[in-house]
Amino acid sequence: MCGIFAVHGLDKPANDRVRFIACSKKQRHRGPDWSGCHVGERSVLVHERLAIVGVESGAQPLVSEDGKVILAVNGEIYNHIALRSSVGPDVKFKTHSDCEVIIPLYRKHGKDLCNLLDGMFSFVLLDESVSPSRIIAARDPIGITTLYQGWSSKRPGSVFFSSELKALVEECDKIISFPPGHVYDSSDDSTTRYYNPTWWNGDVEGPSGTIPTSPADLTLIRTTLEAAVRKRLMSEVPYGVLLSGGLDSSLIAAIAARETEKVQQAQYELRKKKLQESVSGPASPTGGLVDEDATLAAWPQLHSFSIGLENSPDLLAARKAAHFLGTIHHEYVFTVQEGLDAIPEVIYHLETYDVTTVRASTPMYLLSRKIKAMGVKMVLSGEGSDEIFGGYLYFHAAPDPTSFHQECVRRVKNLHTSDCLRANKSTMAWGLEARVPFLDKAFLEVAMNVDPKEKTFSKGSGQEVDEDGCPKMEKYILRKAFDCSPGGKPYLPRSILWRQKEQFSDGVGYSWIDGIKDHAAKTVSDEDFAKRAERWSTDVPDTKEAYLIRDIFDGLFPSEAAAKTAVRWIPRGDWGCASDPSGRSVSIHNAAYGTD
């Protein structure tokens, strides 16, 4: 991923070049490898680059052969090789960047190109072959990447775009989080939705809403997720996996380990063949240059990363999963005080005052710093599964399958305000890219069209079991899809595959949340808390923890325009759920960390 900043509709853009580069510099942590700037007739485009694909030649903004189309992209296009073939042999590419294919696609399809892209992306494309010049901006279907749009009353007729809020707050008095799955076109000042999957209206009440009835195809669920992981291993730099020891991250790590082993084996065989061809004589098929008894353990392996308080549930479970998978595992122990000290920085990078997001982002932020220090630039992560399969523990209270599905669709649609925002900004604060296979378009099409009756789960002693004795707990069909042993080895130990859901902020250690609450209780006076409704007219904090976080946010981003971009993550109160999203607030939570 990278950082983009763009302004369109300026009278004299050259005069503002230095000013807007300074704006973009506020998000340079997103792209520490290179910075580029293009000044057009009415526009300025600035790009902060994190080089992962096309490392040597992919500096941005990218410019077409005739110099008329200029492009700045944040993200990865996984199907770029197939798309390059689709534009025809006459198109000459200047770089190896996966993003450059957007330029010929635009010339061939206009803004309809967005539906052809398979990846996570936000981009701004400037077309100066038309008069007046045209700019289009788009964001990936679910909002894995971040993008903001702004307007300034001091610059009427202009429009701003940026990967982060902080680059716009001093320039714009109106800012929105650009909607995922949409494309903006300056030629008619329109923003339209291009992403229209079959499940999209599943949260709509009445006849226009669609509730799926397809039975769960466990094989299809498994193979589609495997394909999603496989395509996300596209990288020219070192990568790893975030491993909490929960179901979602462990499954992604299990698939990645298998796929990495396939690549390693292929590389080993190729190297062995080349050495055989380079050496004559019958003494040894490799001429003694390769140890024929060596295993893949002697070659680069998949690295996994975990964080938690001392002896936290996540550290213990991740250690077990990593041992089973054979990854080179790194675990980092943090203290409550280290977490508390980091909260202001975390809020600065998150650009939200949502309590749940801050809680979960703090350990992820600390871990990302450690990972980047090791030279790793990309990691796979497990975000999205809980929304797709109704994995949050409060889903047990859904009154019926229809309500269950509607809540899943709502949660997926709002991922860009919570888990996607956390995964993106916590990692990109240190120039680390997180990729999320569960939010693959093809996987969403499969998983979101499963009959919700097969996703619902019971609570407590009334929990059902299947014919194999497996509990029909949260995310049952996902667990069952991987409860097999292709090639003779299971994907995961049963104690991990059937481990109960933990909120990430709980799993790193229960005293982490308690520590934040205790710190807020000491920091926020009873008098200030009693007057909170006088200070804020909307999103009034309901706890001292929420007050503290909102107070820090306002100190960093004091404008009303900034505050309006934040969205709070709250469980369904009308289902009788506690307002605190911690797993411990749900009556059925009874985590166990036994061994096989």
Side-chain angles (χ1 to χ4, degrees), residues 492-552:
L492 290 168
R494 290 187 63 80
S495 60
I496 300 295
L497 186 63
W498 296 96
R499 181 189 176 197
Q500 189 175 38
K501 167 69 181 174
E502 293 268 11
Q503 308 302 102
F504 180 60
S505 49
D506 285 338
V508 297
Y510 291 141
S511 56
W512 166 233
I513 292 177
D514 294 338
I516 302 176
K517 290 180 176 179
D518 292 345
H519 175 66
K522 297 174 183 176
T523 305
V524 179
S525 69
D526 293 339
E527 182 181 2
D528 285 343
F529 186 67
K531 296 179 180 179
R532 62 192 185 280
E534 299 175 18
R535 180 172 178 182
W536 296 289
S537 58
T538 58
D539 278 349
V540 180
D542 49 8
T543 66
K544 286 192 174 182
E545 180 187 9
Y547 185 107
L548 174 64
I549 291 171
R550 181 67 185 271
D551 182 60
I552 295 172

Side-chain angles (χ1 to χ4, degrees), residues 173 175-177 353 538 550 553 559-567:
D173 40 35
I175 305 171
I176 64 168
S177 175
Y353 51 76
T538 58
R550 181 67 185 271
F553 176 89
S559 72
E560 184 179 351
K564 286 183 177 180
T565 64
V567 177

Side-chain angles (χ1 to χ4, degrees), residues 240-558:
V241 290
L242 300 182
L243 182 59
S244 72
L247 173 68
D248 306 329
S249 66
S250 297
L251 278 179
I252 298 304
I255 299 170
R258 287 172 179 249
E259 294 298 325
T260 300
E261 185 173 340
K262 291 177 186 177
V263 173
Q264 291 166 351
Q265 184 65 58
Q267 291 174 340
Y268 176 81
E269 295 298 334
L270 179 61
R271 178 180 171 84
K272 188 173 181 179
K273 181 180 178 182
K274 288 181 177 180
L275 286 169
Q276 288 173 341
E277 294 172 349
S278 68
V279 177
S280 59
S284 167
T286 60
L289 297 179
V290 171
D291 180 358
E292 291 163 1
D293 295 324
T295 66
L296 284 172
W299 296 78
Q301 290 176 267
L302 183 67
H303 289 246
S304 56
F305 304 91
S306 182
I307 189 169
L309 301 177
E310 190 76 42
N311 294 319
S312 66
D314 277 1
L315 283 183
L316 299 176
R319 193 179 304 163
K320 182 174 185 177
H323 177 74
F324 181 85
L325 297 174
T327 64
I328 299 176
H329 190 56
H330 310 269
E331 58 181 41
Y332 298 100
V333 176
F334 77 106
T335 66
V336 171
Q337 188 59 54
E338 286 173 332
L340 294 175
D341 291 342
I343 284 179
E345 297 175 40
V346 171
I347 294 172
Y348 173 74
H349 285 287
L350 287 182
E351 303 173 324
T352 184
Y353 51 76
D354 175 59
V355 170
T356 309
T357 306
V358 173
R359 283 178 178 177
S361 295
T362 302
M364 197 171 192
Y365 171 86
L366 295 173
L367 178 60
S368 297
R369 185 177 190 176
K370 294 282 190 179
I371 294 172
K372 185 59 184 293
M374 293 181 61
V376 173
K377 281 188 171 184
M378 184 272 282
V379 290
L380 300 183
S381 191
E383 277 73 23
S385 174
D386 288 314
E387 288 75 12
I388 296 167
F389 293 100
Y392 292 113
L393 296 184
Y394 79 88
F395 269 84
H396 84 277
D400 52 66
T402 294
S403 300
F404 190 104
H405 178 71
Q406 290 171 337
E407 180 69 359
C408 283
V409 175
R410 291 188 189 102
R411 285 299 183 197
V412 171
K413 286 183 176 181
N414 285 307
L415 268 167
H416 67 288
T417 69
S418 53
D419 281 19
C420 285
L421 182 149
R422 168 178 56 79
N424 182 285
K425 291 183 176 179
S426 297
T427 54
M428 288 303 292
W430 301 106
L432 176 69
E433 175 175 297
R435 298 181 182 176
V436 285
F438 278 110
L439 298 182
D440 180 79
K441 284 198 299 183
F443 184 74
L444 282 169
E445 197 64 25
V446 170
M448 292 297 289
N449 278 306
V450 172
D451 189 330
K453 292 178 182 177
E454 301 202 41
K455 295 183 180 181
T456 57
F457 57 98
S458 55
K459 63 177 181 177
S461 59
Q463 192 172 74
E464 300 177 49
V465 296
D466 65 15
E467 64 277 5
D468 299 317
C470 299
K472 291 196 172 181
M473 61 198 304
E474 72 278 357
K475 295 184 282 193
Y476 166 79
I477 58 175
L478 177 62
R479 300 174 193 270
K480 197 67 176 176
F482 285 89
D483 195 1
C484 55
S485 304
K489 181 181 179 181
Y491 283 88
L492 290 168
R494 290 187 63 80
S495 60
I496 300 295
L497 186 63
W498 296 96
R499 181 189 176 197
Q500 189 175 38
K501 167 69 181 174
E502 293 268 11
Q503 308 302 102
F504 180 60
S505 49
D506 285 338
V508 297
Y510 291 141
S511 56
W512 166 233
I513 292 177
D514 294 338
I516 302 176
K517 290 180 176 179
D518 292 345
H519 175 66
K522 297 174 183 176
T523 305
V524 179
S525 69
D526 293 339
E527 182 181 2
D528 285 343
F529 186 67
K531 296 179 180 179
R532 62 192 185 280
E534 299 175 18
R535 180 172 178 182
W536 296 289
S537 58
T538 58
D539 278 349
V540 180
D542 49 8
T543 66
K544 286 192 174 182
E545 180 187 9
Y547 185 107
L548 174 64
I549 291 171
R550 181 67 185 271
D551 182 60
I552 295 172
F553 176 89
D554 284 359
L556 295 167
F557 306 104

